Amino acid sequence: MSGAHSLQAAYAGRRVFVTGHTGFKGSWLSLWLARLGAHVTGYALPPCTTPSVFELARVGEALTRHVTGDVRDQVALTTAMREAAPEVIFHLAAQPLVRLSYREPAATWSTNVMGTVNLLEAARACPSVKAIVVITTDKCYDNREWIWGYRESDPLGGSDPYSASKAATELVVQSYRKSFFSNSGPLLASARAGNVIGGGDWSDDRLIPDAARAVASRQPLLIRNPAATRPWQHVLESLHGYLLLGARLSGGEAAMADAFNFGPDAADNLSVADVLTRLQAHWPALNWQLEENAEQAPHEARFLYLDSSKARRLLDWTPTWQLATGLEKTAQWYYTVAQQPSAARAITEQQLDQFCS
């Protein structure tokens, strides 16, 4: 993998603050940072799913400090950050589910928007901070159902509360960069990734976790939108981009203080049905069928694709695993852990080794 040695040099011995470290992506990121030699402080609510990769893979053992807290609690967040005195911050804490945002719009807005405001306010009061990467989503764009990829300069927007809150989060980041961090203070960037897959995600209303639950219960997976197309990628692909971006920011490269897309190659922009067909090759017990009354489900975009030319050009970031490999590793993780839950840490570390080799 390109940049492996430079990442080691960038993070070894550094103090890193990760919000949302008990979640799916946050757990993988925290383990990777620890392997790079970083001193990681995690700040998050307890895992929101049972089981969780955080608990199964014993992620807490790899941390310098684990703080239970809500990003909506400005005082607690500021206190935790001051005590950690981080040099680099990765902000992943969020309400990340589209359908839940319809049921809990106010909580979605307060967590995603005001949580980010609180994070940036805490960073302003913490002089050790050199770099901040705020993680948003590919859904922050005003989706026109275009057949070409969205670029970082395209308009932001969102029909559902989740997507709109993430677009608003991007505006918060832009505002703080221009208002408070343009002449001094930390370098601030945002990262927009595609639909991530990988072992250890048990969130509701996501394709792979729903598939894992269906296999475990020996029931067919019910799908809503088999033709919906998304930029699918393994979780380590997006995390690699975040780490590269954080390294460049912490090195003082002001030109990197901007928004970046991290999406897969065009060939991996597939429909839900195509992904399930490919996944079934590694997971024969998986079967699926169309959900009844699927047409009555809340609105979700049918087509979404990211243009990642900017990350490729400026960060030298390119996908390491094509989707075929990502699906194979994902199925392997769930199968292994279903057979032996205590193997979660070992299979996670093994896949990190394979990705970085």
Side-chain angles (χ1 to χ4, degrees), residues 204-282:
D204 290 333
D205 296 322
R206 281 186 181 163
L207 185 64
I208 304 301
D210 287 348
R213 282 186 285 268
V215 170
S217 64
R218 300 183 180 180
Q219 298 293 321
L221 169 64
L222 302 179
I223 58 174
R224 300 184 300 272
N225 300 303
T229 300
R230 295 288 185 270
W232 307 94
Q233 60 189 158
H234 193 273
V235 61
L236 293 178
E237 300 291 358
S238 58
L239 298 184
H240 181 208
Y242 305 164
L243 288 169
L244 286 172
L245 181 56
R248 299 286 289 275
L249 293 171
S250 63
E253 296 187 47
M256 301 300 111
D258 206 347
F260 284 85
N261 287 341
F262 298 101
D265 292 332
D268 288 340
N269 207 66
L270 300 174
S271 71
V272 168
D274 287 335
V275 168
L276 289 174
T277 299
R278 297 184 182 205
L279 185 62
Q280 191 180 40
H282 308 289

Side-chain angles (χ1 to χ4, degrees), residues 141 146 149-156 174 192 258-261 307 310:
Y141 292 105
W146 286 333
Y150 290 89
R151 298 171 298 176
E152 292 84 353
S153 57
D154 284 326
L156 302 170
Q174 291 179 23
R192 308 163 182 176
D258 206 347
F260 284 85
N261 287 341
D307 183 330
K310 182 177 176 181

Side-chain angles (χ1 to χ4, degrees), residues 27 36 39 45-46 48 190 192 199 261 269 274 278 308:
S27 291
L36 292 172
H39 304 297
L45 292 171
C48 61
S190 62
R192 308 163 182 176
N261 287 341
N269 207 66
D274 287 335
R278 297 184 182 205
S308 302

Side-chain angles (χ1 to χ4, degrees), residues 38-320:
H39 304 297
V40 183
T41 294
Y43 181 94
L45 292 171
C48 61
T49 64
T50 302
S52 73
V53 65
F54 179 80
E55 292 173 332
L56 280 176
R58 308 188 313 280
V59 175
E61 296 176 6
L63 303 175
T64 300
R65 189 167 179 232
H66 162 61
V67 182
T68 299
D70 193 323
V71 291
R72 292 173 292 184
D73 187 336
Q74 174 72 70
V75 173
L77 178 58
T78 301
T79 299
M81 190 179 296
R82 283 177 173 167
E83 291 176 351
E87 299 162 85
V88 184
I89 296 172
F90 292 97
H91 178 47
L92 286 80
Q95 192 301 91
L97 303 174
V98 172
R99 297 189 78 176
L100 180 58
S101 77
Y102 280 104
R103 299 192 297 272
E104 300 180 4
T108 299
W109 281 92
S110 62
T111 299
N112 294 350
V113 179
M114 288 310 301
T116 302
V117 171
N118 291 341
L119 182 283
L120 296 176
E121 282 294 296
R124 290 180 66 201
C126 190
S128 63
V129 179
K130 297 180 179 179
I132 308 170
V133 180
V134 174
I135 313 306
T136 63
T137 176
D138 55 357
K139 297 176 182 64
C140 68
Y141 292 105
D142 182 14
N143 194 308
R144 311 286 180 84
E145 305 288 351
W146 286 333
I147 60 172
W148 52 84
Y150 290 89
R151 298 171 298 176
E152 292 84 353
S153 57
D154 284 326
L156 302 170
S159 298
D160 59 89
Y162 167 71
S163 301
S165 73
K166 284 299 194 175
T169 298
E170 287 282 355
L171 294 176
V172 167
V173 171
Q174 291 179 23
S175 172
Y176 268 76
R177 185 188 299 119
K178 294 177 180 178
S179 298
F180 305 112
F181 300 146
S182 60
N183 297 317
S184 62
L187 296 178
L188 171 61
S190 62
R192 308 163 182 176
N195 273 40
V196 295
I197 62 171
D201 188 2
W202 276 283
S203 300
D204 290 333
D205 296 322
R206 281 186 181 163
L207 185 64
I208 304 301
D210 287 348
R213 282 186 285 268
V215 170
S217 64
R218 300 183 180 180
Q219 298 293 321
L221 169 64
L222 302 179
I223 58 174
R224 300 184 300 272
N225 300 303
T229 300
R230 295 288 185 270
W232 307 94
Q233 60 189 158
H234 193 273
V235 61
L236 293 178
E237 300 291 358
S238 58
L239 298 184
H240 181 208
Y242 305 164
L243 288 169
L244 286 172
L245 181 56
R248 299 286 289 275
L249 293 171
S250 63
E253 296 187 47
M256 301 300 111
D258 206 347
F260 284 85
N261 287 341
F262 298 101
D265 292 332
D268 288 340
N269 207 66
L270 300 174
S271 71
V272 168
D274 287 335
V275 168
L276 289 174
T277 299
R278 297 184 182 205
L279 185 62
Q280 191 180 40
H282 308 289
W283 216 347
L286 173 63
N287 292 290
W288 69 91
Q289 65 186 44
L290 185 64
E291 180 180 323
E292 291 185 14
N293 303 317
E295 69 279 357
Q296 298 176 14
H299 169 77
E300 295 183 73
R302 295 187 62 83
F303 189 87
L304 185 56
Y305 173 48
L306 290 177
D307 183 330
S308 302
S309 302
K310 182 177 176 181
R312 292 169 185 263
R313 185 177 71 254
L314 298 182
L315 298 174
D316 195 27
W317 174 87
T318 55
T320 299

Side-chain angles (χ1 to χ4, degrees), residues 311-333:
R312 292 169 185 263
R313 185 177 71 254
L314 298 182
L315 298 174
D316 195 27
W317 174 87
T318 55
T320 299
W321 284 348
Q322 298 303 312
L323 183 60
T325 303
L327 289 169
E328 178 186 0
K329 300 300 183 184
T330 299
Q332 179 191 40
W333 197 101

